[in-house]
Amino acid sequence: MARILITSAIPYINGIKHLGNLIGSQLPADLYARYLRGRGNEVMFLCATDEHGTPAELAAAKAGQPVAEYCARMYEVQSDIAQRFGLSFDHFGRSSSTQNHHLTQHFAGRLADAGLIREVTEKQVYSNADRRFLPDRYIEGTCPNCGYERARGDQCENCTKQLDPTDLIEPRSAISGSTDLEVRETKHLYLRQSAMSDQLDKWIDSKTDWPVLTTSIAKKWLHDGDGLQDRGITRDLDWGIPVRKGDEDWPGMEGKVFYVWFDAPIEYIACAAEWAEANGKSDADWQRWWRTDKGADDVRYVQFMGKDNVPFHTLSFPATILGSGEPWKMVDHLKSFNYLNYDGGQFSTSQGRGVFMDQALEILPADYWRWWLLSHAPESSDSEFTWENFQQSVNKDLADVLGNFVSRITKFCRSKFGEEVPEGGAYGEQEEALIADLTTRVRAYERHMEAMEVRKSAQELRAIWVAGNEYLQSAAPWATFKTDPEKAAAQVRLGLNLIRLYAVLSAPFIPFASARMLEAMGVSDTTWPEDVAASLSMLAPGHSFAVPEVLFAKITDEQREDWETRFAGTRD
Ligand SMILES: [Zn+2]
């Protein structure tokens, strides 16, 4: 048994996330967590809402609520949807928690003591019309690199070049659109990432098993141009974690808060402390996951995120941890994802284009989405959601292959033997061949899951379902029954046992259907099939079951067309 710490990139608080966000980190992280638990490992799976920064302030203002109330409300909304999607977090925390306030101030104090923070008087863009300093991302203009007209002051999302607001051609306020901007002086703290560049470089070089997608992004930031830049970690905002040096005041920093990108990753740690508090545990209980001097030296730590978050996880957050000089657990493996596009374009929160998590659950159960998203995860390249592909995938994989298998074998058994596992006969050559094939496939499935190869895992699982269907087709117990009822009984017995096997193997992908399959089979034992042959004898003759309701309904052409129109854009 191993101990694995898993974190998913934390979703921003301002509104409900779309399916592209979901498959970019939380859902594959859940798949991995469920799989590892299924294999009997000790897992700590953490996620939280990312609540600080200007977008939260603006969203709260738009909703006519104080920002703290807005965040509390949206936290409940996101938490509820996560639960209904089956995201099995051990704790879903909040970056605005007292634990994160404390830890963020603690890290800043340690970094200052280590000489890794410098104070900078700098010029920042002030918007007269908005009567506030504008954070970099709230200044828009034309990208000097590629000419994209809606580049943000921190980064051009078209060519991904990192920018300073003053680089932009024809800058304007993204809040009001005003071009009445001026540059004023203000004082900020910078994390001296440049001083840690070699240390970070060596650390990344030691991660030989990381995906190229991950290391190439980090290396680019370390070596392109002038190399890794120091990063501002404070902002002139009201909402956020007040700048303090550990427990002490920070002279000259009154009224300022830490930049959301500084405190958000620290929430991964704080979330474990929140978990301890929520479950009546001690500090030692969460520290054994995070402090290598307090038991975390045997923990394997895996992070899941979209590719746009890679620099912060490979450089900024490690710089915070390394710079603290304290024995915090560092990430062992990063799994990053490309983007999921929507029907010939991009998902757009502002334009309401694409399917959002709440809407998805209004039209179909979570498993339909989980299956499609995971089996089409944007791993090696971007992938695209189309309704036609979604319909085809659900109807074929879930309804025709898995659902049909379960329905066919249980109904046939009920009609000939009643609702209990029939006795008589023995497994013959055909059954042994199936068991050998399944054993090979289950071992391959395990390897893919352990390697976090999401698509390959889905393909292998589907092949496992198909193997059962093909067996049933060729064994044809309905024909066998006429000439050799004993043999038919053995075939049916194998088929019923396959349902339990499928439920256990499929649980990480489709946990709700898996639970229904187990319930129908009247079994709660979810022991992993280390020995496939033995697991296919678990349901003994005489064991009673019930024919389940239809597991997966097919998506009709009419539904598909209706949804295509409905989600084309302009969500309220
Ligand atoms: Zn650009």
Side-chain angles (χ1 to χ4, degrees):
M1 186 173 103
R3 295 173 62 220
I4 303 102
L5 172 64
I6 301 170
T7 58
S8 156
I10 63 178
Y12 201 71
I13 193 70
N14 67 340
I16 292 161
K17 305 296 121 180
H18 55 64
L19 297 180
N21 301 132
L22 181 63
I23 190 57
S25 60
Q26 290 173 307
L27 190 53
D30 180 68
L31 178 81
Y32 190 56
R34 284 179 178 274
Y35 169 74
L36 291 172
R37 289 192 199 106
R39 297 297 305 273
N41 299 291
E42 189 183 358
V43 171
M44 176 63 82
F45 176 25
L46 302 172
C47 192
T49 41
D50 179 6
E51 303 192 0
H52 296 133
T54 312
E57 286 187 321
L58 294 177
K62 198 176 162 193
Q65 269 186 310
V67 62
E69 267 177 43
Y70 171 81
C71 287
R73 179 169 66 84
M74 287 313 299
Y75 167 80
E76 292 303 331
V77 170
Q78 291 206 19
S79 175
D80 170 62
I81 295 175
Q83 209 165 18
R84 289 192 282 132
F85 255 100
L87 301 176
S88 60
F89 308 129
D90 288 288
H91 191 72
F92 188 57
R94 302 180 60 185
S95 71
S96 61
S97 67
T98 54
Q99 287 87 347
N100 198 36
H101 276 235
H102 174 76
L103 271 166
T104 299
Q105 291 164 346
H106 168 79
F107 273 108
R110 293 288 306 186
L111 291 164
D113 290 345
L116 290 169
I117 287 185
R118 60 186 172 97
E119 292 183 12
V120 175
T121 300
E122 61 180 22
K123 295 182 157 88
Q124 204 188 330
V125 176
Y126 186 87
S127 165
N128 287 306
D130 301 304
R131 282 185 297 179
R132 61 183 294 164
F133 283 105
L134 292 180
D136 295 356
R137 53 179 298 170
Y138 278 88
I139 305 163
E140 280 184 356
T142 302
C143 173
N145 189 44
C146 74
Y148 179 62
E149 287 176 4
R150 297 196 58 184
R152 293 192 324 218
D154 57 345
Q155 192 178 17
C156 172
E157 64 175 9
N158 189 51
C159 69
T160 74
K161 189 177 172 59
Q162 259 201 296
L163 298 171
D164 272 327
T166 48
D167 296 338
L168 294 171
I169 300 160
E170 293 173 27
R172 61 186 179 273
S173 162
I175 302 168
S176 60
S178 168
T179 54
D180 181 13
L181 309 178
E182 64 178 53
V183 174
R184 289 189 184 180
E185 280 200 343
T186 179
K187 201 159 89 169
H188 283 296
L189 301 181
Y190 271 68
L191 177 59
R192 295 180 56 217
Q193 296 189 138
S194 57
M196 281 182 281
S197 183
D198 288 346
Q199 205 181 348
L200 290 164
D201 210 8
K202 282 198 192 90
W203 176 67
I204 286 164
D205 283 339
S206 73
K207 304 295 175 188
T208 49
D209 60 337
W210 283 12
V212 179
L213 178 63
T214 306
T215 48
S216 64
I217 294 173
K219 285 282 180 181
K220 204 174 162 218
W221 280 55
L222 278 167
H223 300 297
D224 269 19
D226 297 331
L228 189 62
Q229 301 298 301
D230 294 347
R231 189 148 185 109
I233 58 164
T234 53
R235 288 293 183 269
D236 288 292
L237 291 177
D238 297 328
W239 173 241
I241 298 178
V243 177
R244 289 173 68 82
K245 198 181 280 181
D247 297 329
E248 295 163 28
D249 290 338
W250 203 312
M253 286 292 132
E254 296 81 9
K256 295 178 195 281
V257 299
F258 286 107
Y259 181 34
V260 58
W261 262 112
F262 182 68
D263 80 61
I266 297 172
E267 169 61 17
Y268 290 148
I269 306 175
C271 188
E274 291 172 53
W275 162 84
E277 187 187 41
N279 292 283
K281 310 256 184 195
S282 67
D283 281 348
D285 289 323
W286 74 261
Q287 285 170 346
R288 69 189 272 277
W289 288 99
W290 273 109
R291 293 281 300 220
T292 55
D293 59 337
K294 293 176 181 174
D297 43 0
D298 68 342
V299 168
R300 177 171 154 80
Y301 176 22
V302 183
Q303 294 176 339
F304 286 77
M305 74 203 68
K307 64 180 169 187
D308 52 332
N309 283 344
V310 169
F312 298 98
H313 289 80
T314 52
L315 302 168
S316 305
F317 186 41
T320 299
I321 292 187
L322 287 171
S324 77
E326 293 176 326
W328 297 99
K329 178 70 196 166
M330 303 269 295
V331 65
D332 293 301
H333 196 87
L334 280 96
K335 173 74 178 177
S336 59
F337 289 84
N338 287 283
Y339 298 132
L340 176 70
N341 293 316
Y342 179 80
D343 218 0
Q346 288 182 344
F347 278 89
S348 167
T349 303
S350 57
Q351 292 162 39
R353 191 165 186 283
V355 186
F356 289 73
M357 286 172 73
D358 56 340
Q359 299 169 323
L361 293 178
E362 278 165 27
I363 62 175
L364 286 169
D367 283 346
Y368 291 58
W369 301 106
R370 290 180 63 109
W371 174 252
W372 189 89
L373 290 167
L374 290 166
S375 60
H376 294 76
E379 287 180 300
S380 53
S381 60
D382 290 354
S383 60
E384 186 179 26
F385 178 92
T386 67
W387 286 99
E388 203 174 312
N389 185 303
F390 177 66
Q391 177 191 27
Q392 205 177 38
S393 198
V394 163
N395 289 359
K396 236 170 120 185
D397 300 348
L398 297 181
D400 287 346
V401 179
L402 180 61
N404 183 50
F405 175 83
V406 171
S407 160
R408 222 166 158 194
I409 193 76
T410 52
K411 282 181 180 160
F412 176 72
C413 183
R414 180 175 62 187
S415 72
K416 301 296 181 200
F417 303 101
E419 284 183 298
E420 60 179 49
V421 178
E423 66 178 325
Y427 294 170
E429 235 171 69
Q430 207 176 357
E431 289 71 30
E432 297 306 330
L434 174 67
I435 289 168
D437 180 34
L438 287 174
T439 300
T440 308
R441 291 194 177 283
V442 170
R443 297 293 93 90
Y445 178 61
E446 292 166 354
R447 281 197 303 278
H448 294 321
M449 286 293 250
E450 264 143 43
M452 290 170 268
E453 295 274 8
V454 178
R455 276 185 182 228
K456 282 186 187 163
S457 302
Q459 278 163 15
E460 199 60 59
L461 180 59
R462 186 179 184 282
I464 289 169
W465 297 340
V466 168
N469 256 334
E470 284 174 353
Y471 164 79
L472 200 58
Q473 199 57 33
S474 88
W478 38 90
T480 317
F481 185 78
K482 290 169 192 155
T483 55
D484 189 349
E486 288 266 307
K487 191 174 176 189
Q491 291 168 341
V492 168
R493 197 161 63 243
L494 179 61
L496 294 171
N497 271 284
L498 270 174
I499 296 176
R500 181 199 159 273
L501 178 76
Y502 287 171
V504 173
L505 294 175
S506 311
F509 279 90
I510 47 172
F512 299 99
S514 164
R516 286 175 56 201
M517 286 156 74
L518 289 171
E519 196 193 340
M521 299 320 291
V523 58
S524 55
D525 185 336
T526 55
T527 307
W528 192 262
E530 308 292 347
D531 179 340
V532 173
S535 89
L536 288 173
S537 308
M538 270 196 68
L539 302 182
H543 178 91
S544 59
F545 69 92
V547 174
E549 296 289 308
V550 176
L551 273 185
F552 298 100
K554 283 196 183 189
I555 295 171
T556 64
D557 291 347
E558 203 179 26
Q559 285 175 313
R560 189 199 70 213
E561 283 158 21
D562 175 35
W563 295 334
E564 237 161 15
T565 315
R566 188 171 148 196
F567 297 106
T570 69
R571 169 183 165 95
D572 296 331

